Amino acid sequence: MFSEKVTLVNPQGFHMRPASLLVGEVAKYDAVVTIVRNGNEIPGNSLMAIMAAGIKCGEEIEIRAEGAQENEAGRAVVDFIAAGMGD
Amino acid sequence: MELKGTAASAGIGIGRVTVVEEPDLSYTSRTVEDTAAENERLNAAISGYIAYTNAQADTMREQVGEKEAEILTGHIVMISDPFMQGEMTKLIEGGTCAEDALVQICEMFATMFESTGDELTMQRATDVRDVKTGVLAELLNKRPVDIGGLPQDTIIVTHDLTPSMTAGIRPGVIAGVVTETGGLTSHSAILARAMELPAVLSVPAACTSLKDGDLLIVDGSNGIVTVEPDEAAIAAAREAQAAYAAEKAELAKFVGCRSVTADGVVIELFANIGKPEDATQAMEKDAEGIGLFRTEFLFMDKPTVPTEDEQFEAYKKAALICKGKPVIIRTLDIGGDKDVPSLGMEPEENPFLGFRAIRYCLAREDLYRTQLRALLRASAFGDIRIMVPLVTCVDELTAVKDLLKRYMIEFDQEGIAYNPDIMVGIMVETPASAIMADALAAEADFFSIGTNDLTGYTMCADRGNEKVRYLYSTYNPAVLRSIKRVIEEGNKAGILVGMCGEAAADPLLIPLWISFGLGEYSVSATSVLATRKQVSLWTKEDADALASKVMQLNTAAEIYEVLKEAAR
């Protein structure tokens, strides 16, 4: 299983645009991606659940990925978040 | 009969009423046995909703624009969420009917969005509820009224103009909109403005007091709806309609242009706002920044003083809307005629010469600290500039700068981001600051001339007092000399000099401002294009010739006559 921590750097956190871009990123790979925040698991393929979590700039979250392409998926998601999610 | 409401989208529409009511989406909850079939029902409704919304988005893209269509494609993205659909399916598998499953899950997400504390996500709760209504209409087989099929010159009267309704509107067919709810920054208002439809919002009981077929004049510029007007009123409305169209066509030429005089002197054209949301309209009207953001609204009509976080969110919001353009925020300007109940200020015999604005703030450092820290934090999100009101001596400005330095050190220790080069300027609105302009220019990063108070204080005349109102005029040579001096001293020191009073948009005075060398004009959002046009009509040379004539005159009446004669 892939697991790595990453800190949100885009000032506005997970609002709709970055959340949908992230879901799009997840969909490219054969892996189940989960965001873990304060012990809560958020499905990485759900725009709604990610937005509802209201994760803010500066927060550290953990990215987990499981499946055939878990390393590729996890790496892509972590890099995407670390790069500011297009904001 | 006349009805009054909010003037939300300018222009005049004449036509007949169609009341558009939302379909009745009430249903009876039940327990389901055949859960697979019920789930299929929900899936079919979702597919139907997506197909219908897709078609609406296409129409919207064609007739209004990409940005408005994105509201609808966003709805499709939301309902397509596999996790959310899965949660609905789980409820149905437990025997819940499709309607209840949809409503419960959508409401759950809407509530979660609202409690995130993130402004952008909180606003999306409305969209989740729109999705809920849309899919529910599919489940109950009750699609909304087809606005696309309405006859020529229809005035839509409705509770609230929704994006899905707007998608059906064909330009040239719908003459205007009247709603029962919504303010200047509501979805309804933004959509009506984007479609250039005259709209009057928040007309109480419009849906019940107006009937299908009623003849109406919708005056979206003044917020007035005339019911069953007589022929004279219709003729007057047609004339106003033509004049508005001609004016609009003329001003439209100035959208996207630089603000520049006929001989190429570039000026900056900003807008005045009172709430962060107002910045949206200012940007729509092509303002190049915000020249005056009044912060009193945060403090008025509230039982408690706003916290640093609340203020930070408001300032940050304005900065984000302006996307890097300058946002000049004036610190708390209370006292005088502006009372703030939560501060418990004592009544004074002479409040305009009393304990107000910067005087009050410097004495209440607890309060001022909250505001200055919020402003500094927000400065990490855009070009925020701090403007100090009612300055009369240099010490006031240095005191504010010292406070800011102290808070910056606090932030460095706390690891909080801010703009260390934030500009700090003053509002020049007292005779003392005009006289001391040279000394103040050495300390301030910019000046902004507040012509309303400067006129009142220079002339010692209250414009609210009928007996002395004749003295309250910016055309007075005393006021004009004062303004000229402020601009010249500021320019000499190399700082930006702006103006944020009503006089900045006065077409008669604009040639004087050009001649004096005013660098930034801050006007109401609706005056931005007209001001850009006025500035473009003058060369510096012509303006100088007029100004040298005007500045030799000794009375306001003579000055007014000469400026009026020269008006372009």
Side-chain angles (χ1 to χ4, degrees):
Chain A
M1 189 186 72
F2 175 96
S3 166
E4 197 171 311
K5 290 194 170 149
V6 61
T7 302
L8 248 66
V9 292
N10 71 314
Q12 299 199 62
F14 267 122
H15 61 97
M16 182 136 172
R17 211 169 52 85
S20 46
L21 289 173
L22 183 111
V23 169
E25 199 60 35
V26 168
K28 288 182 196 162
Y29 302 94
D30 179 9
V32 176
V33 175
T34 310
I35 299 172
V36 187
R37 179 231 205 177
N38 299 338
N40 294 320
E41 297 191 0
I42 302 155
N45 66 345
S46 172
L47 163 86
M48 298 296 282
I50 296 173
M51 282 172 73
I55 306 168
K56 298 202 172 31
C57 182
E59 277 195 55
E60 191 187 62
I61 52 178
E62 182 192 341
I63 302 300
R64 284 186 199 154
E66 273 187 280
Q69 289 183 293
E70 57 189 31
N71 285 323
E72 293 90 330
R75 175 71 12 236
V77 169
V78 168
D79 288 350
F80 175 71
I81 294 172
M85 305 194 286
D87 256 12
Chain B
M1 182 178 65
E2 277 191 355
L3 303 173
K4 288 203 166 59
T6 304
S9 178
I12 290 172
I14 306 167
R16 296 206 176 266
V17 171
T18 294
V19 178
V20 178
E21 281 182 280
E22 289 290 311
D24 175 16
L25 296 180
S26 58
Y27 63 91
T28 315
S29 300
R30 63 212 153 73
T31 311
V32 292
E33 304 285 324
D34 187 350
T35 58
E38 188 69 359
N39 200 35
E40 202 34 60
R41 241 188 99 225
L42 177 66
N43 286 337
I46 291 175
S47 307
Y49 170 77
I50 292 176
Y52 178 74
T53 309
N54 245 329
Q56 283 193 315
D58 287 344
T59 317
M60 184 83 108
R61 195 171 290 118
E62 230 169 75
Q63 299 189 347
V64 192
E66 185 58 46
K67 231 174 67 196
E68 289 73 18
E70 271 176 19
I71 301 175
L72 293 170
T73 49
H75 291 175
I76 298 175
V77 172
M78 285 180 165
I79 194 62
S80 306
D81 190 306
F83 176 73
M84 182 160 88
Q85 286 192 17
E87 294 296 297
M88 291 177 195
T89 303
K90 271 191 218 161
L91 286 180
I92 292 174
E93 280 165 357
T96 308
C97 67
E99 289 86 350
D100 274 342
L102 170 79
V103 170
Q104 283 174 27
I105 297 299
C106 286
E107 277 305 321
M108 178 187 86
F109 276 109
T111 312
M112 284 166 80
F113 281 16
E114 280 167 349
S115 55
T116 56
D118 172 66
E119 187 73 32
L120 287 170
T121 301
M122 286 159 82
Q123 284 169 8
R124 293 292 179 181
T126 317
D127 294 281
V128 182
R129 295 201 169 99
D130 276 358
V131 170
K132 177 190 77 180
T133 310
V135 180
L136 196 54
E138 288 287 329
L139 275 173
L140 300 170
N141 241 327
K142 285 182 185 166
R143 278 193 185 163
V145 185
D146 178 19
I147 290 179
L150 293 173
Q152 190 70 32
D153 294 330
T154 296
I155 307 266
I156 294 177
V157 175
T158 181
H159 180 70
D160 187 19
L161 191 68
T162 63
S164 52
M165 270 186 213
T166 323
I169 292 178
R170 287 178 295 152
V173 174
I174 303 302
V177 173
V178 178
T179 71
E180 287 186 342
T181 60
L184 273 182
T185 55
S186 63
H187 253 336
S188 300
I190 292 166
L191 291 166
R193 283 199 293 268
M195 303 186 75
E196 305 190 339
L197 276 179
V200 178
L201 309 187
S202 284
V203 176
C207 292
T208 39
S209 60
L210 297 171
K211 302 274 174 269
D212 280 358
D214 281 356
L215 187 63
L216 286 195
I217 298 173
V218 177
D219 181 348
S221 308
N222 298 302
I224 296 168
V225 176
T226 313
V227 189
E228 294 296 339
D230 58 20
E231 269 180 36
I234 294 176
R238 294 221 184 276
E239 221 166 272
Q241 215 173 20
Y244 175 77
E247 164 88 6
K248 197 167 83 172
E250 177 59 30
L251 291 183
K253 294 180 199 153
F254 290 88
V255 174
C257 295
R258 287 197 310 166
S259 303
V260 61
T261 62
D263 55 344
V265 181
V266 178
I267 59 119
E268 290 188 274
L269 186 50
F270 293 176
N272 299 336
I273 61 171
K275 289 191 168 128
E277 304 89 82
D278 298 347
T280 308
Q281 204 205 350
M283 294 299 113
E284 280 171 19
K285 297 285 181 191
D286 213 23
E288 296 152 23
I290 301 300
L292 168 63
F293 175 3
R294 305 177 181 91
T295 55
E296 290 74 59
F297 85 96
L298 281 164
F299 294 80
M300 316 280 267
D301 307 319
K302 285 185 115 180
T304 54
V305 173
T307 63
E308 182 181 312
D309 279 349
E310 275 176 73
Q311 293 191 52
F312 162 66
E313 288 298 336
Y315 306 146
K316 179 177 119 179
K317 185 170 177 183
L320 291 175
I321 292 171
C322 293
K323 299 199 173 82
K325 291 177 180 166
V327 181
I328 299 178
I329 304 183
R330 182 178 69 189
T331 64
L332 189 56
D333 183 16
I334 37 123
D337 55 349
K338 285 172 279 188
D339 183 33
V340 175
S342 63
L343 297 177
M345 296 170 76
E346 284 167 27
E348 294 182 304
E349 198 145 313
N350 208 340
F352 276 97
L353 301 182
F355 192 41
R356 58 171 291 209
I358 187 59
R359 304 165 180 188
Y360 182 83
C361 288
L362 285 175
R364 285 280 313 267
E365 203 202 315
D366 55 328
L367 185 79
Y368 209 31
R369 177 175 190 269
T370 311
Q371 181 166 43
L372 293 178
R373 278 179 54 105
L375 285 166
L376 280 176
R377 280 169 61 192
S379 72
F381 296 87
D383 185 3
I384 284 185
R385 303 175 185 180
I386 296 175
M387 176 156 73
V388 186
L390 206 82
V391 168
T392 49
C393 38
V394 177
D395 333 19
E396 286 164 339
L397 176 59
T398 44
V400 175
K401 288 169 72 174
D402 287 345
L403 288 175
L404 285 167
K405 266 183 223 141
R406 203 187 318 150
Y407 305 145
M408 285 183 188
I409 295 170
E410 289 175 8
F411 284 143
D412 289 338
Q413 286 160 354
E414 294 165 34
I416 293 172
Y418 63 89
N419 170 15
D421 302 316
I422 189 166
M423 289 172 76
V424 184
I426 65 165
M427 185 131 162
V428 179
E429 54 188 332
T430 61
S433 60
I435 292 165
M436 291 301 288
D438 51 334
L440 286 162
E443 285 295 322
D445 294 323
F446 62 89
F447 281 166
S448 184
I449 304 169
T451 52
N452 300 0
D453 270 353
L454 185 62
T455 301
Y457 282 128
T458 302
M459 298 308 296
C460 290
D462 174 2
R463 71 168 149 179
N465 181 336
E466 271 176 47
K467 297 194 184 80
V468 298
R469 191 185 291 156
Y470 70 97
L471 286 167
Y472 181 93
S473 161
T474 308
Y475 293 89
N476 273 297
V479 183
L480 293 176
R481 286 185 195 190
S482 185
I483 291 172
K484 181 165 190 267
R485 171 179 163 74
V486 173
I487 297 173
E488 285 172 354
E489 290 300 337
N491 286 342
K492 220 187 283 171
I495 64 170
L496 180 67
V497 184
M499 181 182 285
C500 58
E502 283 163 23
D506 185 333
L508 298 191
L509 291 169
I510 284 173
L512 294 187
W513 309 153
I514 293 172
S515 170
F516 296 166
L518 187 69
E520 177 251 305
Y521 299 56
S522 192
V523 302
S524 68
T526 49
S527 300
V528 168
L529 293 175
T531 304
R532 185 174 289 156
K533 179 186 165 192
Q534 272 303 321
V535 169
S536 77
L537 298 176
W538 290 88
T539 61
K540 178 83 164 63
E541 199 187 337
D542 289 355
D544 282 345
L546 178 62
S548 69
K549 208 157 115 192
V550 165
M551 296 310 281
Q552 287 168 27
L553 301 172
N554 290 330
T555 70
E558 287 172 302
I559 290 174
Y560 177 76
E561 282 310 316
V562 171
L563 288 175
K564 201 166 166 224
E565 188 62 31
R568 297 187 173 174

